[in-house]
Amino acid sequence: MPVRQLPEQVVNRIAAGEVVERPASVVKELVENAIDAGASRIDIFSDGGGRRRIGITDDGSGMTHGDLALAVDRHATSKLDDEDLLRIRTLGFRGEALPSIGAVARLGITTRHASEPHAWSLSVEGGVKSEIMPAALSQGTRVEVSDLFFATPARLKFLKTDRTEAEAIREVVRRLAMARPDIAFTLAGEERAPVTWAAALPGAPGRLTRLGDILGSDFRACAIDVRAEREGVAVEGFAAAPSLTRANALGQYLFVNGRPVRDKLILGAVRAAYSDYLPRDRHPVVALFVTLPPQEVDANVHPAKTEVRFRNAGLVRALIVHALKEGLAREGRRTAANTDGAALSAFRPSFAPRPINWDWRSSPAYPVRPAPSFEGAAATALAEAGQAAFDVGAPTADVRFEAQPAADLLDRPLGAARTQIHETYIVSQTRDGLIVVDQHAAHERIVYERLKASLAKNGVQRQILLIPEIVELDEATVEKLLDRSEELASFGLAIDSFGPGAVAVRETPSLLGKANAAGLLRDLAEHMAEWDEALPLERRLMHVAATMACHGSVRAGRRLKPEEMNALLREMEDTPNSGQCNHGRPTYVELKLADIEKLFGRR
C-alpha cells in the first residue's frame, strides 16, 4: 500500500484519541480552560456519565469574535506568549482540546468578552465548524458537549457504565478544586444532588478548608501542616496523621505549579516518610503542592498533561520526604484516639431494646452458669444463691497506688500513672483528664527509636551469648537469613550456619534483653521475602529495627510496678513519634475531664 497523506478529518480524530480518552478528559480540558481564563466560579453539569451531555459555565474573561473563530482550530492557543515550551505558566498550552472535542462530538461554545457589545456562539459537529452567530450571555463562557464519540462509534464500546464515568468526572473536578481553593466549583447532574465547594480564603487555612470539604472532616481533624523549601523549590500542603490511612494510595494527591499530576515520585517519597509509622499494607492521605520555576519542570510529556518531568527529581523527592518527616515528628504524639473523638464516641451509652414478648418473671435472679468467685476470703461473702449475680470475678486492676500522686507528675504531658488494668494498659491521671497507655505499643516505639539512634551514632551495642542458641528453620529460610547476615550484624544480631536447616545465634542487641531468637528470626525471614534489591539499604535496616523492637518490648500481660509505669510514661514524653507504634497503632488514648463529664450528663 503506498504512503498517502491522511485527510484532515481523520487526522483530527486520531489526535482526539490522545486527548479525549473518556468523558472525564473532556471535563478536565474545559475546566482547565476556565481556570486559565481567570474564572472565579465554574459550574459543571453532566448527564449519562458525560456521554449524552457535558456543560461547563464560567465567569472568566471570555473570548472576542476573532479569538472564538481561531479557538476551534488545531494548535491555536492564547496560553503561549512566545514559543518557549519551558516557561509554561498555564494549565493548557497545546491548543488541541477544543478541536479534538469537536472532532468526535457535537460542540457548542457561547462566550462574551468585556470589549464586545454582546456574546458570540459557535458550534462544531464532527469536525465541521458553523458560522459565528450573535448570542445572549452576560459574562464568561458556556461550553456544551453532547453525543460524545458519535463520530467515532467504536470508541463508545470502550466506555464503562454511566455510574463509573460519572465518578471519573467527579474525581477530575475534585482534583482541580483542591488545586484552586480560591475558585468556587459546582458539580451537578447524574441524578445526584449538586455539590458546591465555595471559594475559600487564600493561604493555608483556606486550603485546609477546601481539602476538608473534599477529603472529609476526618482529614481536616488530623491534618498536619507540612512545608519545606530549598533552591527555589517549595513543598507545602497537609498530611494526615498516621492514624488516618487507606487500603491503597488513591488518597495521595500531588500538584505541581497548580497542576494536578500523577507521579510515581510521590508514592515512593510518601512511603519513605511514613515508613516508621504505618504497616506495610496501609497508605496515608496527603495533599502536597510543589511550586518551582516553570523552566525546572517539563509539562509537555503527556498529551493529557497528567504527568510532568522534573529537571532535578532527586531534590523534589528529598524535599517531600523532609517536609513530611518534619511535620510528623512535630506532631508525633497525635493519634486517632485523641484527635478525632473516636475514643469518646466509643464510650457513648447504647441501650438495646428488650424483646416485645419479654417476661420479667422468666428472668433468672442469677446467671445460669455459676459465676467465678473472688479468691480467698471474699468468696464466702457471696455464698448465698440470691447474691451470686453480683459476683464479677477477680479484679483485673492493680490498685497498689498511693491516694494522691505527686503534684509535679500531674503537670507532665502524660500525667502520673495510677493503675494497670488487664496487665496490659496503664491508666494515668493529668490535671484535666486521664490517659490510657498500651504498654507494649509504647515500649515498642521507645526501643525502635533507641535502635535507630544507636545505629546512627556508633552502632548497636551487642551482648554475646554464653551458649549460642540453635534455631531450626527450613533450608530456604536459612538461606535468606544467611544472605542478609551482614545487614543483621549491623544491628547486633550475629548468626552463623549450623548445618542444613539450622542457624546459630551468637550475639543479640543488648537493648532487646532476653529475646526469643527463634520467633525473631522467623519474623525477619518473612519480611525479607518481601524485599527486593531495589529497596535501599537504609529502608531494609529500618525493617529489621522495627521487627527487633517488637520482640524486645514489654509484652502485654506483664505486671508492672508503679515506678516502672511512671518511668515508661517519662520515656514516652522524651521519645519522638511516641503517639504511634511501629505498626501505626496509637500508643495511648486521652480523655479530657470535660468530655467525661459530658458522658455522665454533668455538662
Side-chain angles (χ1 to χ4, degrees):
M1 182 180 294
V3 178
R4 66 188 182 93
Q5 185 72 42
L6 294 175
E8 182 180 356
Q9 197 171 24
V10 176
V11 171
N12 289 343
R13 290 178 182 176
I14 292 174
E18 297 179 340
V19 179
V20 185
E21 178 185 357
R22 61 194 305 186
S25 307
V26 175
V27 173
K28 173 184 175 296
E29 297 291 344
L30 297 180
V31 173
E32 286 182 350
N33 283 344
I35 293 174
D36 289 338
S40 61
R41 180 176 184 84
I42 303 175
D43 298 328
I44 303 101
F45 177 87
S46 66
D47 183 38
R51 195 176 341 214
R52 288 192 291 269
R53 183 188 168 207
I54 295 173
I56 311 290
T57 304
D58 68 73
D59 60 354
S61 59
M63 291 181 284
T64 63
H65 180 282
D67 288 343
L68 179 59
L70 279 174
V72 292
D73 289 342
R74 187 162 300 282
H75 305 307
T77 180
S78 62
K79 313 293 178 64
L80 295 177
D81 296 333
D82 50 30
E83 297 179 2
D84 189 358
L85 291 177
L86 296 180
R87 297 182 182 274
I88 297 171
R89 301 182 183 275
T90 55
L91 296 179
F93 58 89
R94 299 171 67 96
E96 291 183 324
L98 292 178
S100 295
I101 296 169
V104 296
R106 294 183 172 91
L107 172 66
I109 305 175
T110 304
T111 183
R112 181 177 183 180
H113 192 269
S115 63
E116 297 283 352
H118 55 75
W120 299 98
S121 68
L122 171 70
S123 63
V124 182
E125 187 170 326
V128 180
K129 294 194 299 183
S130 70
E131 295 291 330
I132 298 179
M133 304 290 291
L137 186 68
S138 61
Q139 181 187 8
T141 302
R142 182 174 65 243
V143 181
E144 298 277 348
V145 179
S146 58
D147 297 333
L148 185 62
F149 296 131
F150 88 96
T152 53
R155 296 290 298 276
L156 290 171
K157 295 187 294 185
F158 294 93
L159 295 183
K160 303 293 196 308
T161 63
D162 288 356
R163 181 182 293 273
T164 302
E165 297 296 341
E167 189 57 37
I169 291 175
R170 185 182 182 88
E171 180 62 20
V172 164
V173 176
R174 279 160 47 98
R175 287 179 175 269
L176 290 167
M178 283 190 278
R180 293 297 301 269
D182 58 317
I183 300 176
F185 289 82
T186 299
L187 177 61
E190 306 297 343
E191 299 181 356
R192 289 184 177 181
V195 179
T196 299
W197 296 299
L201 295 173
R207 178 174 286 166
L208 180 58
T209 300
R210 174 61 61 86
L211 292 175
D213 292 340
I214 296 175
L215 299 179
S217 58
D218 52 350
F219 178 82
R220 184 191 291 117
C222 63
I224 298 172
D225 188 11
V226 296
R227 57 184 68 246
E229 186 172 359
R230 189 193 311 162
E231 300 178 18
V233 181
V235 175
E236 55 186 356
F238 291 90
S243 52
L244 179 64
T245 61
R246 302 267 180 90
N248 51 49
L250 296 180
Q252 298 172 11
Y253 301 91
L254 177 65
F255 305 88
V256 179
N257 289 345
R259 183 192 307 278
V261 298
R262 301 178 186 274
D263 199 302
K264 294 181 180 179
L265 174 76
I266 186 177
L267 299 180
V270 171
R271 190 181 299 114
Y274 277 85
S275 60
D276 284 355
Y277 301 88
L278 298 182
R280 297 184 301 277
D281 59 343
R282 302 302 297 178
H283 301 267
V285 181
V286 299
L288 300 177
F289 301 81
V290 179
T291 306
L292 70 169
Q295 62 268 23
E296 296 297 321
V297 58
D298 187 2
N300 190 30
V301 297
H302 191 278
K305 306 182 292 295
T306 57
E307 298 177 7
V308 295
R309 183 175 295 131
F310 296 101
R311 177 171 292 183
N312 191 349
L315 173 62
V316 177
R317 184 188 185 279
L319 271 181
I320 291 176
V321 174
H322 171 73
L324 289 173
K325 282 192 170 183
E326 191 274 334
L328 291 169
R330 186 180 67 248
E331 304 288 345
R333 293 196 181 94
R334 292 176 62 175
T335 66
N338 55 29
T339 56
D340 63 1
L344 185 65
S345 61
F347 281 94
R348 298 290 182 193
S350 60
F351 302 98
R354 288 172 173 168
I356 298 176
N357 58 351
W358 179 76
D359 184 4
W360 65 272
R361 290 169 294 188
S362 63
S363 177
Y366 55 92
V368 176
R369 290 178 294 179
S373 61
F374 286 147
E375 298 175 358
T380 58
L382 299 177
E384 299 179 18
Q387 297 182 0
F390 297 100
D391 190 351
V392 295
T396 59
D398 184 354
V399 291
R400 298 170 291 167
F401 277 13
E402 64 275 7
Q404 184 64 32
D408 60 326
L409 294 182
L410 293 177
D411 295 324
R412 301 298 295 264
L414 295 182
R418 300 290 283 162
T419 187
Q420 181 188 28
I421 56 175
H422 295 289
E423 298 180 346
T424 302
Y425 303 100
I426 300 170
V427 179
S428 67
Q429 177 184 346
T430 61
R431 288 288 183 189
D432 59 350
L434 65 87
I435 293 175
V436 182
V437 178
D438 183 336
Q439 66 189 38
H440 171 68
H443 197 240
E444 184 178 354
R445 169 59 71 178
I446 292 170
V447 173
Y448 177 61
E449 295 296 336
R450 283 181 182 172
L451 280 170
K452 286 172 55 181
S454 179
L455 180 68
K457 187 176 180 181
N458 51 14
V460 178
Q461 299 296 318
R462 310 181 181 192
Q463 56 183 5
I464 301 176
L465 301 183
L466 185 62
I467 300 176
E469 186 170 347
I470 309 302
V471 180
E472 295 185 357
L473 303 164
D474 61 87
E475 294 188 19
T477 302
V478 170
E479 291 179 4
K480 292 176 186 175
L481 290 169
L482 294 177
D483 288 342
R484 306 282 186 178
S485 59
E486 291 185 5
E487 295 175 20
L488 297 178
S490 64
F491 274 92
L493 184 64
I495 60 173
D496 293 322
S497 175
F498 197 77
V503 171
V505 181
R506 304 191 181 277
E507 299 177 8
T508 60
S510 58
L511 278 173
L512 301 188
K514 187 178 180 181
N516 178 4
L520 175 60
L521 289 178
R522 288 192 182 94
D523 281 356
L524 286 172
E526 289 179 7
H527 293 328
M528 289 176 182
E530 301 177 3
W531 297 352
D532 54 35
E533 295 304 322
L535 191 64
L537 175 61
E538 181 185 4
R539 290 278 306 282
R540 297 204 295 261
L541 294 180
M542 290 305 103
H543 281 304
V544 175
T547 305
M548 288 185 172
C550 185
H551 280 265
S553 304
V554 173
R555 311 304 294 184
R558 174 182 165 184
R559 177 169 293 191
L560 300 179
K561 298 178 181 179
E563 52 270 21
E564 291 178 317
M565 298 183 210
N566 276 310
L568 182 62
L569 297 180
R570 302 293 79 80
E571 286 189 276
M572 288 179 64
E573 293 168 352
D574 297 333
T575 301
N577 313 319
S578 62
Q580 295 84 24
C581 75
N582 313 334
H583 308 297
R585 296 192 305 269
T587 56
Y588 70 92
V589 173
E590 183 176 12
L591 290 175
K592 296 296 184 183
L593 184 60
D595 293 330
I596 298 174
E597 290 175 343
K598 288 179 184 177
L599 289 174
F600 289 97
R602 290 178 174 270
R603 287 201 175 193

